[in-house]
Short mmCIF file of all heavy atoms in Angstrom, two decimals:
data_model
loop_
_atom_site.label_atom_id
_atom_site.label_comp_id
_atom_site.label_asym_id
_atom_site.label_seq_id
_atom_site.Cartn_x
_atom_site.Cartn_y
_atom_site.Cartn_z
N MET A 332 1.59 11.02 9.50
CA MET A 332 0.28 11.41 8.98
C MET A 332 -0.49 12.11 10.10
O MET A 332 -0.41 11.70 11.25
CB MET A 332 -0.54 10.17 8.60
CG MET A 332 -0.04 9.39 7.43
SD MET A 332 -0.85 7.76 7.37
CE MET A 332 -2.54 8.22 7.04
N HIS A 500 2.86 4.80 4.06
CA HIS A 500 1.66 5.33 4.70
C HIS A 500 1.51 4.83 6.14
O HIS A 500 0.44 4.37 6.54
CB HIS A 500 0.42 4.99 3.89
CG HIS A 500 -0.56 6.13 3.82
ND1 HIS A 500 -1.89 5.99 4.10
CD2 HIS A 500 -0.37 7.43 3.55
CE1 HIS A 500 -2.49 7.16 3.98
NE2 HIS A 500 -1.58 8.04 3.65
N ASN A 503 -0.19 0.92 7.80
CA ASN A 503 -1.42 0.46 7.14
C ASN A 503 -1.44 -1.06 7.10
O ASN A 503 -0.49 -1.72 7.51
CB ASN A 503 -1.50 1.05 5.74
CG ASN A 503 -0.29 0.66 4.92
OD1 ASN A 503 -0.26 -0.38 4.31
ND2 ASN A 503 0.73 1.51 4.96
N CYS A 504 -2.52 -1.62 6.58
CA CYS A 504 -2.74 -3.06 6.60
C CYS A 504 -1.56 -3.83 6.01
O CYS A 504 -1.02 -4.75 6.63
CB CYS A 504 -4.04 -3.37 5.84
SG CYS A 504 -4.39 -5.09 5.63
N PRO A 533 -9.92 -5.55 -1.59
CA PRO A 533 -10.65 -4.39 -2.11
C PRO A 533 -10.82 -3.27 -1.08
O PRO A 533 -11.05 -2.12 -1.42
CB PRO A 533 -12.02 -4.96 -2.50
CG PRO A 533 -12.14 -6.23 -1.76
CD PRO A 533 -10.74 -6.76 -1.58
N LEU A 534 -10.66 -3.59 0.21
CA LEU A 534 -10.76 -2.52 1.21
C LEU A 534 -9.43 -1.78 1.36
O LEU A 534 -9.34 -0.76 2.02
CB LEU A 534 -11.20 -3.08 2.57
CG LEU A 534 -12.60 -3.66 2.65
CD1 LEU A 534 -12.99 -3.89 4.10
CD2 LEU A 534 -13.62 -2.73 1.99
N HIS A 535 -8.40 -2.34 0.75
CA HIS A 535 -7.05 -1.74 0.90
C HIS A 535 -6.54 -1.35 -0.49
O HIS A 535 -7.09 -0.46 -1.11
CB HIS A 535 -6.14 -2.73 1.62
CG HIS A 535 -4.78 -2.21 2.00
ND1 HIS A 535 -4.47 -0.88 2.08
CD2 HIS A 535 -3.63 -2.86 2.34
CE1 HIS A 535 -3.21 -0.73 2.45
NE2 HIS A 535 -2.67 -1.91 2.61
N GLY A 536 -5.56 -2.04 -1.00
CA GLY A 536 -4.98 -1.61 -2.28
C GLY A 536 -5.84 -1.94 -3.46
O GLY A 536 -5.68 -1.37 -4.53
N ALA A 538 -8.75 -1.18 -3.84
CA ALA A 538 -9.84 -0.18 -3.98
C ALA A 538 -9.73 0.58 -5.30
O ALA A 538 -10.74 0.97 -5.88
CB ALA A 538 -9.83 0.78 -2.81
N ALA A 563 -24.74 3.19 -0.12
CA ALA A 563 -23.55 3.34 0.76
C ALA A 563 -23.98 3.67 2.18
O ALA A 563 -23.33 3.29 3.16
CB ALA A 563 -22.65 4.45 0.22
N LYS A 566 -27.17 0.64 6.18
CA LYS A 566 -26.38 -0.28 7.05
C LYS A 566 -26.68 -1.74 6.72
O LYS A 566 -25.86 -2.60 6.98
CB LYS A 566 -26.69 -0.01 8.53
CG LYS A 566 -26.04 1.24 9.05
CD LYS A 566 -24.53 1.20 8.90
CE LYS A 566 -23.88 2.55 8.93
NZ LYS A 566 -22.56 2.54 8.27
N PHE A 570 -22.67 -2.76 0.59
CA PHE A 570 -21.99 -1.91 -0.40
C PHE A 570 -21.26 -0.75 0.28
O PHE A 570 -21.78 -0.11 1.19
CB PHE A 570 -23.01 -1.35 -1.40
CG PHE A 570 -22.43 -0.32 -2.34
CD1 PHE A 570 -21.63 -0.72 -3.41
CD2 PHE A 570 -22.64 1.05 -2.12
CE1 PHE A 570 -21.08 0.22 -4.26
CE2 PHE A 570 -22.10 1.99 -2.99
CZ PHE A 570 -21.30 1.58 -4.06
N ARG A 571 -20.04 -0.53 -0.13
CA ARG A 571 -19.27 0.63 0.32
C ARG A 571 -18.99 1.51 -0.88
O ARG A 571 -18.78 0.98 -1.98
CB ARG A 571 -17.91 0.17 0.86
CG ARG A 571 -17.98 -0.43 2.26
CD ARG A 571 -17.94 0.69 3.26
NE ARG A 571 -17.72 0.25 4.62
CZ ARG A 571 -18.62 -0.35 5.35
NH1 ARG A 571 -19.83 -0.59 4.82
NH2 ARG A 571 -18.36 -0.69 6.59
N LEU A 572 -18.97 2.83 -0.69
CA LEU A 572 -18.60 3.72 -1.80
C LEU A 572 -17.08 3.63 -1.95
O LEU A 572 -16.32 4.17 -1.14
CB LEU A 572 -19.04 5.16 -1.49
CG LEU A 572 -19.04 6.08 -2.69
CD1 LEU A 572 -20.04 5.62 -3.75
CD2 LEU A 572 -19.38 7.53 -2.28
N MET A 573 -16.64 2.88 -2.95
CA MET A 573 -15.21 2.63 -3.14
C MET A 573 -14.47 3.95 -3.37
O MET A 573 -14.95 4.84 -4.04
CB MET A 573 -14.99 1.71 -4.33
CG MET A 573 -15.43 0.29 -4.05
SD MET A 573 -14.33 -0.51 -2.89
CE MET A 573 -15.43 -0.87 -1.54
N GLY A 574 -13.30 4.07 -2.75
CA GLY A 574 -12.51 5.29 -2.90
C GLY A 574 -12.89 6.37 -1.91
O GLY A 574 -12.33 7.45 -1.92
N PHE A 575 -13.87 6.03 -1.02
CA PHE A 575 -14.26 7.02 0.01
C PHE A 575 -13.95 6.46 1.40
O PHE A 575 -14.08 5.25 1.64
CB PHE A 575 -15.76 7.32 -0.10
CG PHE A 575 -16.05 8.58 -0.88
CD1 PHE A 575 -15.97 8.57 -2.27
CD2 PHE A 575 -16.37 9.76 -0.24
CE1 PHE A 575 -16.21 9.72 -3.00
CE2 PHE A 575 -16.62 10.92 -0.96
CZ PHE A 575 -16.55 10.90 -2.35
N GLY A 576 -13.59 7.33 2.29
CA GLY A 576 -13.33 6.94 3.68
C GLY A 576 -11.89 6.50 3.88
O GLY A 576 -11.20 6.12 2.94
N HIS A 577 -11.49 6.57 5.14
CA HIS A 577 -10.12 6.18 5.48
C HIS A 577 -10.02 5.99 6.98
O HIS A 577 -10.66 6.72 7.74
CB HIS A 577 -9.12 7.25 5.03
CG HIS A 577 -7.73 6.75 4.96
ND1 HIS A 577 -6.90 6.71 6.05
CD2 HIS A 577 -7.02 6.23 3.93
CE1 HIS A 577 -5.74 6.21 5.69
NE2 HIS A 577 -5.77 5.91 4.41
N ARG A 578 -9.23 5.01 7.41
CA ARG A 578 -9.06 4.74 8.82
C ARG A 578 -8.43 5.96 9.54
O ARG A 578 -8.77 6.26 10.66
CB ARG A 578 -8.18 3.50 9.01
CG ARG A 578 -7.83 3.15 10.44
CD ARG A 578 -9.02 2.79 11.28
NE ARG A 578 -9.78 1.69 10.77
CZ ARG A 578 -9.44 0.41 10.92
NH1 ARG A 578 -8.30 0.10 11.48
NH2 ARG A 578 -10.24 -0.55 10.49
N LYS A 581 -9.57 11.88 8.33
CA LYS A 581 -10.95 12.29 8.59
C LYS A 581 -11.22 13.62 7.89
O LYS A 581 -12.12 14.35 8.24
CB LYS A 581 -11.20 12.37 10.10
CG LYS A 581 -10.99 11.02 10.80
CD LYS A 581 -11.73 9.87 10.10
CE LYS A 581 -11.33 8.50 10.62
NZ LYS A 581 -11.86 7.40 9.75
N ARG A 586 -3.29 13.10 -0.76
CA ARG A 586 -2.85 12.45 -2.00
C ARG A 586 -3.94 12.52 -3.07
O ARG A 586 -3.66 12.62 -4.27
CB ARG A 586 -2.49 10.98 -1.71
CG ARG A 586 -1.46 10.79 -0.61
CD ARG A 586 -1.37 9.37 -0.19
NE ARG A 586 -2.66 8.90 0.34
CZ ARG A 586 -2.85 7.62 0.71
NH1 ARG A 586 -1.89 6.72 0.58
NH2 ARG A 586 -4.03 7.25 1.19
N TYR A 623 -24.51 12.09 5.93
CA TYR A 623 -23.91 10.82 6.37
C TYR A 623 -22.39 10.86 6.16
O TYR A 623 -21.61 10.49 7.04
CB TYR A 623 -24.51 9.65 5.58
CG TYR A 623 -23.81 8.33 5.77
CD1 TYR A 623 -24.17 7.48 6.83
CD2 TYR A 623 -22.81 7.92 4.90
CE1 TYR A 623 -23.56 6.25 7.00
CE2 TYR A 623 -22.18 6.70 5.07
CZ TYR A 623 -22.55 5.88 6.12
OH TYR A 623 -21.90 4.67 6.29
N PHE A 624 -21.96 11.35 4.98
CA PHE A 624 -20.54 11.38 4.67
C PHE A 624 -19.83 12.43 5.53
O PHE A 624 -18.71 12.22 5.98
CB PHE A 624 -20.33 11.65 3.18
CG PHE A 624 -20.65 10.44 2.33
CD1 PHE A 624 -21.97 10.14 2.01
CD2 PHE A 624 -19.64 9.59 1.90
CE1 PHE A 624 -22.27 8.99 1.26
CE2 PHE A 624 -19.93 8.45 1.14
CZ PHE A 624 -21.26 8.16 0.83
N ASN A 627 -19.61 11.10 9.15
CA ASN A 627 -18.63 10.00 9.28
C ASN A 627 -17.26 10.35 8.72
O ASN A 627 -16.40 9.48 8.59
CB ASN A 627 -19.18 8.75 8.59
CG ASN A 627 -20.31 8.11 9.42
OD1 ASN A 627 -20.04 7.59 10.50
ND2 ASN A 627 -21.54 8.22 8.93
N LEU A 629 -16.23 11.05 5.76
CA LEU A 629 -15.87 10.22 4.59
C LEU A 629 -15.59 11.13 3.40
O LEU A 629 -16.48 11.79 2.86
CB LEU A 629 -17.03 9.26 4.26
CG LEU A 629 -17.46 8.35 5.42
CD1 LEU A 629 -18.64 7.50 5.00
CD2 LEU A 629 -16.31 7.48 5.90
N ASN A 632 -10.45 9.19 -0.98
CA ASN A 632 -9.07 8.84 -0.64
C ASN A 632 -8.28 8.70 -1.92
O ASN A 632 -8.84 8.92 -3.02
CB ASN A 632 -9.02 7.55 0.21
CG ASN A 632 -9.68 6.38 -0.50
OD1 ASN A 632 -9.35 6.08 -1.64
ND2 ASN A 632 -10.60 5.73 0.18
N VAL A 633 -7.03 8.35 -1.82
CA VAL A 633 -6.15 8.36 -2.99
C VAL A 633 -6.67 7.46 -4.10
O VAL A 633 -6.45 7.73 -5.29
CB VAL A 633 -4.72 7.92 -2.58
CG1 VAL A 633 -4.68 6.45 -2.18
CG2 VAL A 633 -3.71 8.20 -3.68
N ASP A 634 -7.45 6.45 -3.73
CA ASP A 634 -7.90 5.49 -4.75
C ASP A 634 -9.02 6.03 -5.62
O ASP A 634 -9.30 5.47 -6.68
CB ASP A 634 -8.37 4.19 -4.07
CG ASP A 634 -7.20 3.51 -3.39
OD1 ASP A 634 -6.24 3.14 -4.10
OD2 ASP A 634 -7.21 3.38 -2.16
N PHE A 655 0.11 -0.06 -7.51
CA PHE A 655 0.13 0.42 -6.12
C PHE A 655 1.28 -0.30 -5.37
O PHE A 655 2.06 0.33 -4.65
CB PHE A 655 -1.22 0.13 -5.48
CG PHE A 655 -1.46 0.70 -4.12
CD1 PHE A 655 -2.73 0.96 -3.67
CD2 PHE A 655 -0.42 0.98 -3.22
CE1 PHE A 655 -3.00 1.47 -2.41
CE2 PHE A 655 -0.65 1.49 -1.95
CZ PHE A 655 -1.96 1.72 -1.54
N ARG A 659 4.36 1.22 -3.34
CA ARG A 659 4.48 1.00 -1.88
C ARG A 659 5.73 0.23 -1.49
O ARG A 659 6.12 0.25 -0.32
CB ARG A 659 3.21 0.26 -1.40
CG ARG A 659 3.07 0.01 0.08
CD ARG A 659 3.20 1.24 1.00
NE ARG A 659 2.37 2.36 0.65
CZ ARG A 659 1.13 2.54 1.10
NH1 ARG A 659 0.57 1.66 1.89
NH2 ARG A 659 0.42 3.60 0.75
C1 SDX B 55 -6.17 2.50 1.28
O1 SDX B 55 -4.43 2.51 5.95
C2 SDX B 55 -3.99 3.14 4.86
O2 SDX B 55 -3.21 4.01 4.94
C3 SDX B 55 -4.56 2.61 3.55
C4 SDX B 55 -4.15 3.38 2.33
C5 SDX B 55 -2.67 3.30 2.11
O3 SDX B 55 -2.12 4.17 1.45
O4 SDX B 55 -2.11 2.24 2.52
O5 SDX B 55 -4.52 4.74 2.44
C6 SDX B 55 -4.78 2.82 1.05
O6 SDX B 55 -6.41 1.34 1.58
C7 SDX B 55 -7.24 3.56 1.19
C8 SDX B 55 -8.65 3.00 1.49
C9 SDX B 55 -9.13 2.26 0.24
N1 SDX B 55 -10.40 1.55 0.52
C10 SDX B 55 -11.57 1.97 0.05
O7 SDX B 55 -11.73 3.04 -0.57
C11 SDX B 55 -12.74 1.05 0.33
C12 SDX B 55 -13.93 1.87 0.82
N2 SDX B 55 -13.56 2.44 2.12
C13 SDX B 55 -14.11 1.75 3.31
O8 SDX B 55 -14.19 0.36 3.20
C14 SDX B 55 -13.51 2.27 4.62
O9 SDX B 55 -13.59 3.65 4.57
C15 SDX B 55 -12.11 1.87 5.04
C16 SDX B 55 -11.94 0.40 4.99
C17 SDX B 55 -11.09 2.54 4.18
C18 SDX B 55 -11.96 2.35 6.48
O10 SDX B 55 -12.87 1.62 7.23
P1 SDX B 55 -13.17 2.04 8.74
O11 SDX B 55 -11.91 2.28 9.48
O12 SDX B 55 -14.17 1.08 9.31
O13 SDX B 55 -13.91 3.45 8.53
P2 SDX B 55 -14.53 4.33 9.66
O14 SDX B 55 -14.39 3.70 11.01
O15 SDX B 55 -14.03 5.72 9.48
O16 SDX B 55 -16.10 4.30 9.28
C19 SDX B 55 -16.99 5.19 9.95
C20 SDX B 55 -18.37 4.81 9.47
C21 SDX B 55 -18.66 3.33 9.63
O17 SDX B 55 -20.04 3.24 9.85
P3 SDX B 55 -20.51 2.61 11.27
O18 SDX B 55 -20.04 1.16 11.24
O19 SDX B 55 -19.82 3.43 12.35
O20 SDX B 55 -22.01 2.74 11.26
O21 SDX B 55 -18.48 5.09 8.07
C22 SDX B 55 -18.78 3.87 7.38
C23 SDX B 55 -18.36 2.73 8.29
O22 SDX B 55 -19.16 1.60 8.04
N3 SDX B 55 -17.98 3.88 6.14
C24 SDX B 55 -18.49 3.87 4.92
C25 SDX B 55 -17.39 3.92 4.05
N4 SDX B 55 -16.27 3.96 4.78
C26 SDX B 55 -16.63 3.94 6.07
N5 SDX B 55 -19.76 3.81 4.47
C27 SDX B 55 -19.93 3.80 3.12
N6 SDX B 55 -18.93 3.86 2.22
C28 SDX B 55 -17.65 3.92 2.65
N7 SDX B 55 -16.67 3.97 1.78
#
Side-chain angles (χ1 to χ4, degrees):
M332 292 166 66
H500 220 229
N503 58 85
C504 175
L534 293 192
H535 187 19
K566 285 301 159 203
F570 172 76
R571 283 276 192 286
L572 195 63
M573 289 290 119
F575 262 76
H577 198 276
R578 175 63 58 79
K581 299 311 169 191
R586 304 168 299 176
Y623 170 86
F624 286 81
N627 286 293
L629 304 178
N632 58 52
V633 68
D634 295 299
F655 188 155
R659 183 54 51 90

